[in-house]
Amino acid sequence: MANSNQQSANQFVDMEGEITYNFIRQGSFGSFRTEWSFPLEFFLLSFTAEDLQFLSLAKDLKPSKNLDFDMLLQRDIDEKRIIDEMEPYLVGKHSNGENPAEGAVFFPPILAAVVPVTDNDIDDYYENEEFYEGEREAGREWHGHFRVEYLLNQTVDAVPIQAFDNVTGNTKTLLVRRNPAILKMRLPKGNVGRGVKLVVIDGQHRLVTLRNLMESHKGLLNGMVLPVCVVYAPQCTKAAAEAHAKQQRIIPKIHEVFRRLFVDVNGTMRRVSGHFEHLLNDIAVETLTARKFCQAVIEKYGFNGLACVEWNEKNYKQSLDINQYYSVTSIGVITPLVEEYLENHYEYLMDFGGIEAELFKDNDDRRIQFQRLTFYQKPLMEVQIKKNLVPLLLKIFFETNPFKRICSAFDAEIAVLEAEAKGDGKQATTAADVRDFLLNYVPLPNVRKEDARMAESRLNAFKDAVRASITDNGKLEDPIANRVLFQKAIFEALHLFIRAIKKWNPKIDALADAYCALLNTALRDDSVLFSSSQPYMQYLVFNQKRLIVNAKARTSMTSLLLAQFATPGVARPIAELLNIGADTDTAHIELTKLGRERVRSLYESFCVRRRASFEKNYSADLSLGADKRQLLMELEEKKRADLARAERGEIDQAEISKKFDEEVALEIADDLMAARNSLQTTLSLDFTLVQDAAEISGSDADE
Amino acid sequence: MSESFSVYSESESENIPAQPGLYAFFLNLVGPGNCGLRAGEHVSASNYTKIANNLDYRLQKLIPIFRKLELAGRVIESDKFGPLQRVFDFAGKETSPPLRAVTEIAATPSELESILVASKQTAFFLPPVYVGMTVDQTLGQRYRQHHAAYQSSTELNVFGSRLRSAGIAWTDLLFACVPIGPRDASEIALRFVEQQLHVIHPPLFSVK
């Protein structure tokens, strides 16, 4: 009888436990704490689709005195994002019938906070903590809210946790296993009662997406098990708050802890940016090209070569520039240029004709989204990129003379560092540090000030030495080849060159050889054709020595690159390099024609911009006499007045005074002549550039 | 006096005249370039299978496009009336002829290459796939309009999207045009010529 009574009593005790906690799961336990941070503990659990009903959104809780928590946690659910992006991601197609990127589909873990509630209102703290320790297991309980149970563990893998008994004041360090552990929670049904809610801090949109799909696509989530990370703040108890208050210390309230966590998760997590935005995108042709290019640089030119390519800049703005003197290019520069200038030539460059049977095997429609390759298209494209686009870029940036010069200067100074590093003492260590920074991306020493200063100084000396080598100790101008604007011109000229010759379908390595021959011609003699000292470069590309950074300057540089074809003897060997057999003669004629068009366009642009610059600045140009400036102002005013009268119909357009234009033409005539003569001479033109009065006053031919 | 028309491939499209006129698209179906051979390359033992597969793919995919006529109609006994009249409904769908694999016909690399070279020269032996006229736009503008539709339109009553849906590459097309001078560029005249061409041999992708 006594035994059965005992048994009954035990059964009653067990039943009470089950009723107190109605959500019981086994998972992996962990804790997050540092010396200064407020400790958080978490459980990694698996939820089936049906279990999603146990998760709550912050907006489901009653707006309360804890409004700031509510407002912060309540992100507006972006319905459009759910419909446009997240639902199709799981369902498998967009509403217009296109397929999103195929392949593995995965949602990262939803992060849910254990929030104490009474009648759906958030409580400030959990119930007081109690703990117990048995022979093999231990547990901690915040009675009526939740309870965690562990297996004790004495091995080296044991996790130490601080257990508190807020009633007795006892504490104990328990050594437990992470896995398995049991989490038991009291989840009130509806909005009545006391317990905890699992409030989603990160993943609200995922949760809503999944709930919507359970309604609209019954069966879609069958068998799906989702990762959920449940997090709680074990020390946020009433008793702990009171005890700390006596010592004038503050225990944050539950909603304050999770508000901080929410802000950290949603606010301070930076979007991947800079170069990594390109390198981590592997479904766009141009970003795949950037990655394959970097890989190929390492394979062919080693880490010295890769150090000359800027590829790991996180700052967005800096990633768009070429920041180092010894860099030949940057991923942030060439990736968008590949898309902008070469996309229209992908069919030719990547030989779609050769892979047509595989590329379009399952799809009649020939449209490829180059920024959103499918799971099936990507490996085919990668092969073609590696075979065609990458060698073209390698030749341009590592085998044309100006870039070779930069790399040689870099290699030479690296060799100096290597030699220093083999020595003894501080200098050797510093040299090794700088070498490792440049080649292996190890941060420079920054713990001891002296070491940091020496490394910084040695790095600056390295950069200065590279620059001195490239500019022949200041005798030459800074190279134009690794200026961003010039590299845009390289790609624009490449696009125009391909447009002119692809009808003959030359092999890509022949195209690369031909284009690099053009670059070497254009940039010969230390790029003297692009020097700011050339009269035709002023107003077009340079303002004195300062590079003008705009689209017109870029177009002018493009024109000057292609204008090389106008030089007798240039077009023919380049046409021959294309290796197109009987079409070589035609190619020679067309390239020569292209060169002439471009040199005319360049000169016309110079005329227009010289004129525009004069008209804008003459009134402050003290090299003109005061009388001359006065005259010009009067003539300009007369012209303006005549224009206004013509607009009002008072005079005919032919009666508008031309005296101002004539006077300006006189003033700039010498500059136009100097530009024309320098173009004729530097390009050895076998025809005369003609100065057309109508063109001088007309619109800019480049636009 | 003999008149001639000008022909432009996609890479020459910048040179299409800036004048109104009549135009047609021809299909440059098979040639060395669109089967995977570059300039200066030849069919060899190492690439024979790949080139042959590409050629097979083109022929097997594209020839049925031209042999897919579907007819449906009703034939009525014209000398009878009422219940005595016999009526026949019929529907027919064209089947394309069986194609032999290229490797059965061209057993060697040089034979395969000969096929490619000869095929490239015969683009104009095929009827045009589209015939049109333009008065308000120049021929160049009209070409670019069709190209833009090819790249982005999804409406099936648009030439460009029909072409793309049929699996034809824009680079497979040749644009032939006859520019018409300002004095002769009458919409009535050009429209009439266009319609007659449609009547005589309806181009495959002209729907209207």
Side-chain angles (χ1 to χ4, degrees), chain B residues 20-22 132-137 142 180-196 208:
Chain B
L22 289 152
M133 53 75 82
T134 177
V135 171
D136 296 331
Q137 288 176 304
R142 181 56 63 86
I180 304 290
R183 274 187 300 190
D184 300 317
S186 139
E187 181 161 355
I188 293 172
L190 294 185
R191 180 80 59 205
F192 179 83
V193 173
E194 182 201 33
Q195 284 170 352
Q196 297 316 303
K208 277 186 280 188

Side-chain angles (χ1 to χ4, degrees), chain A residues 677-689:
Chain A
N677 291 343
S678 65
L679 273 173
Q680 297 266 178
T681 311
T682 53
L683 295 175
S684 305
L685 298 178
D686 59 359
F687 65 98
T688 304
L689 278 171

